[in-house]
Amino acid sequence: MQPRKQHLIDTALILFNQFGYHATGIDLILAESGVSKATLYKHFRSKEELILAALQLRHEQVVSKLQDKIEANKQNQEKTDPVENVLVIFDNLNEWFNSETFFGCNFINVSAEYADPNHPINIFAAKHKQVIVNMIAEQLTTKENNQATQQKADQIGLLVEGAIVMAHTRGMKQSALIAKEMARGLF
């Protein structure tokens, strides 16, 4: 990827994360990135294309970090425990909630701003959330059938989303640890 294009995406993601998608105008992105309007429109036909590129970057960051945390957890175990591999997701959330870069979930926020379920941005946000649930299901290598595994993954996904919303809307930075204990109770 071209450095200017990547810089635009990186800058936009930071600004969208902090200020929201509709509230962050192109002029602010240009001012913060130091990129010209011509360069912006050379790479992106619209603000929505830039939003999708920023969401793609955030998706890759989240999935990569979760995969790294799960793999590190596996390496620290004598015997692979699928439950512990899932619960590490809540430790990751706890770190995020207590960081200076936590302004809520990009995907929850953007789906609220682009609420039409048929809008490409809303569809992308929903797909991201499904990928996370699928990652959880992959770790649940129990003797349960696929339907039971998927149901548990959905339940844990619900706890993940609830923890994110509570941390963001109520400032409950410990919500990931509370949700972790609730998830542990599912097994």
Side-chain angles (χ1 to χ4, degrees):
M1 184 177 298
Q2 297 176 0
R4 300 300 275 167
K5 182 178 182 180
Q6 187 61 54
H7 182 61
L8 270 169
I9 295 168
D10 293 340
T11 302
L13 179 59
I14 290 167
L15 294 171
F16 293 145
N17 186 37
Q18 277 188 292
F19 304 114
Y21 294 86
H22 290 311
T24 301
I26 292 297
D27 290 339
L28 178 59
I29 295 167
L30 295 175
E32 289 293 316
S33 67
V35 173
S36 71
K37 194 174 270 194
T39 300
L40 170 74
Y41 288 111
K42 173 184 167 193
H43 296 294
F44 304 100
R45 291 178 295 196
S46 66
K47 180 180 175 184
E48 289 182 353
E49 274 192 15
L50 179 57
I51 290 171
L52 285 167
L55 290 172
Q56 179 64 40
L57 173 62
R58 185 64 183 143
H59 169 76
E60 291 166 4
Q61 291 170 343
V62 169
V63 169
S64 176
K65 183 147 189 180
L66 286 178
Q67 287 171 335
D68 290 348
K69 291 280 186 180
I70 290 167
E71 287 307 312
N73 191 63
K74 286 179 181 179
Q75 291 176 5
N76 289 333
Q77 298 175 27
E78 288 181 27
K79 181 181 174 194
T80 299
D81 181 351
V83 173
E84 291 304 317
N85 294 336
V86 167
L87 295 180
V88 76
I89 292 170
F90 293 98
D91 297 330
N92 184 64
L93 288 175
N94 187 54
E95 289 173 21
W96 179 41
F97 296 168
N98 290 286
S99 73
E100 292 180 11
T101 60
F102 180 70
F103 298 97
C105 172
N106 295 85
F107 302 97
I108 293 172
N109 295 343
V110 81
S111 67
E113 291 191 44
Y114 291 86
D116 177 356
N118 296 313
H119 193 287
I121 290 173
N122 190 296
I123 290 168
F124 188 92
K127 285 182 181 176
H128 166 78
K129 294 299 184 178
Q130 187 59 54
V131 166
I132 301 305
V133 171
N134 293 347
M135 288 178 70
I136 293 167
E138 286 173 21
Q139 298 309 310
L140 297 176
T141 54
T142 64
K143 295 179 182 177
E144 297 175 348
N145 64 34
N146 277 347
Q147 188 176 1
T149 298
Q150 189 60 50
Q151 184 178 15
K152 272 226 178 94
D154 286 336
Q155 291 170 337
I156 293 167
L158 180 62
L159 291 171
V160 165
E161 299 308 319
I164 294 169
V165 171
M166 293 299 279
H168 184 219
T169 62
R170 294 198 44 216
M172 287 182 60
K173 302 298 185 185
Q174 76 280 15
S175 65
L177 300 178
I178 295 168
K180 180 180 181 178
E181 291 312 307
M182 293 171 73
R184 191 182 304 277
L186 295 173
F187 296 99

